[in-house]
């Protein structure tokens, strides 16, 4: 059974940082692209970042470029999102999602339960 | 960047109705289009990918069509459990943006 479990969210002050993690199990992690998607309270889905299976291709939404860094550890079956210089508008539930293929041009077929990031003073 | 626009933003229909949601891309995206369902308080679920391919386990009353810039998600006979917000997403190239969502309710 595919499982994606996010962690690392919490309350942080504006300008602060967090490292979000996503632990994957039930599939061959190194064969699939991975993604972060966020959802602000009461709002729609916003794509944040994607990484190919090897980590060689990485993409970011303009809203987070230069502040967020996606990475993966295929030996540890884990995906990460380092989030820096946080702003109030970054407050959201952050979902980890698997791409259907190794390349990032793929629909997201499994999603974690999400981790809440709240940016507030 | 390519913009994804869904219509309508909200929709109310009766059980058994045929429901259609549309998604328009501001530029052609071939068939790199996915549809997701998010029930209240739940995680998004992939319904359709490659514009018309049903994800495993998704009921056959859901179908997708389209290519290029215009796409539709159709529910052939609306069921109470279909109450949700539906999102389209492009994935031909980054940014892999979502539509704004269509909230579907039962009349």
């Amino acid at each position: 059974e595919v499982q994606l479990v996010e962690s690392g969210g919490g309350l942080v002050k504006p300008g602060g940082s967090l490292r979000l993690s996503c632990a994957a199990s039930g599939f061959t992690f190194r064969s699939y692209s991975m993604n972060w998607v966020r959802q602000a309270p009461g709002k729609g889905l916003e794509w944040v970042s994607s990484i190919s299976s090897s980590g060689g291709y990485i993409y970011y939404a303009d809203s987070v470029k230069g502040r967020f860094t996606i990475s993966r550890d295929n030996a540890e079956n884990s995906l990460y999102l380092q989030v820096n210089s946080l702003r109030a508008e970054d407050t959201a539930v952050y979902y980890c999602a698997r791409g259907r293929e190794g390349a990032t041009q793929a629909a997201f077929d499994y999603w974690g339960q999400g981790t809440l990031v709240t940016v507030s003073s | 960047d390519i913009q994804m626009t869904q219509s309508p933003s909200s929709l109310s229909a009766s059980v058994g109705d045929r429901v259609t949601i549309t998604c328009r891309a501001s530029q052609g995206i071939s068939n790199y289009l996915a549809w997701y369902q998010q029930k209240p308080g739940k995680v998004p679920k992939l319904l359709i990918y490659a514009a018309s391919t049903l994800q495993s386990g998704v009921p056959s009353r859901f179908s997708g069509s389209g290519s290029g810039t215009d796409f539709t998600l159709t529910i052939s006979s609306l069921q109470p459990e279909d109450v949700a917000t539906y999102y389209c997403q492009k994935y031909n190239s980054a940014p892999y943006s979502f539509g704004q969502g269509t909230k579907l309710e039962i009349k």
Side-chain angles (χ1 to χ4, degrees):
Chain A
E1 178 194 5
V2 172
Q3 284 200 319
L4 299 169
V5 179
E6 301 92 337
S7 60
L11 175 63
V12 62
K13 289 181 167 54
S17 299
L18 285 172
R19 190 192 197 203
L20 309 184
S21 299
C22 173
S25 61
F27 65 101
T28 306
F29 183 74
R30 65 180 181 273
S31 296
Y32 293 87
S33 59
M34 296 297 297
N35 310 273
W36 289 99
V37 176
R38 69 183 180 182
Q39 187 168 36
K43 302 297 184 182
L45 302 174
E46 180 186 12
W47 170 75
V48 173
S49 183
S50 297
I51 186 168
S52 61
S53 57
S54 66
Y57 294 90
I58 286 174
Y59 304 97
Y60 298 100
D62 284 346
S63 58
V64 307
K65 202 172 293 183
R67 300 187 299 122
F68 290 11
T69 303
I70 192 172
S71 62
R72 63 188 296 160
D73 185 336
N74 286 344
E76 295 293 328
N77 293 337
S78 293
L79 174 72
Y80 304 101
L81 187 69
Q82 178 68 39
V83 296
N84 298 330
S85 303
L86 282 163
R87 307 165 180 167
E89 54 265 35
D90 295 318
T91 294
V93 173
Y94 285 72
Y95 295 105
C96 160
R98 189 185 84 164
R100 290 189 67 254
E101 301 174 8
T104 60
Q105 295 91 336
F108 303 167
D109 59 354
Y110 288 93
W111 296 61
Q113 291 300 310
T115 187
L116 176 62
V117 172
T118 303
V119 184
S120 175
S121 54
Chain B
D1 292 344
I2 297 174
Q3 305 303 313
M4 305 301 293
T5 304
Q6 289 181 232
S7 60
S9 296
S10 63
L11 174 60
S12 182
S14 300
V15 172
D17 281 356
R18 182 181 183 88
V19 171
T20 298
I21 297 169
T22 66
C23 178
R24 176 164 289 175
S26 59
Q27 297 176 42
I29 58 171
S30 184
N31 69 335
Y32 290 88
L33 193 283
W35 289 98
Y36 300 87
Q37 175 193 62
Q38 187 177 31
K39 294 183 178 181
K42 301 296 186 183
V43 173
K45 173 186 174 183
L46 176 63
L47 296 177
I48 287 168
Y49 62 93
S52 61
T53 303
L54 203 63
Q55 173 71 351
S56 176
V58 173
S60 59
R61 64 180 180 274
F62 291 92
S63 64
S65 65
S67 183
T69 60
D70 294 311
F71 302 87
T72 60
L73 171 70
T74 300
I75 307 172
S76 60
S77 178
L78 185 65
Q79 300 301 303
E81 60 266 32
D82 299 334
V83 168
T85 300
Y86 294 83
Y87 297 92
C88 63
Q89 182 203 21
K90 63 171 279 292
Y91 57 91
N92 62 313
S93 63
Y96 303 126
S97 48
F98 292 87
Q100 82 277 17
T102 295
K103 186 174 184 179
L104 175 58
E105 298 175 329
I106 299 289
K107 195 180 293 183

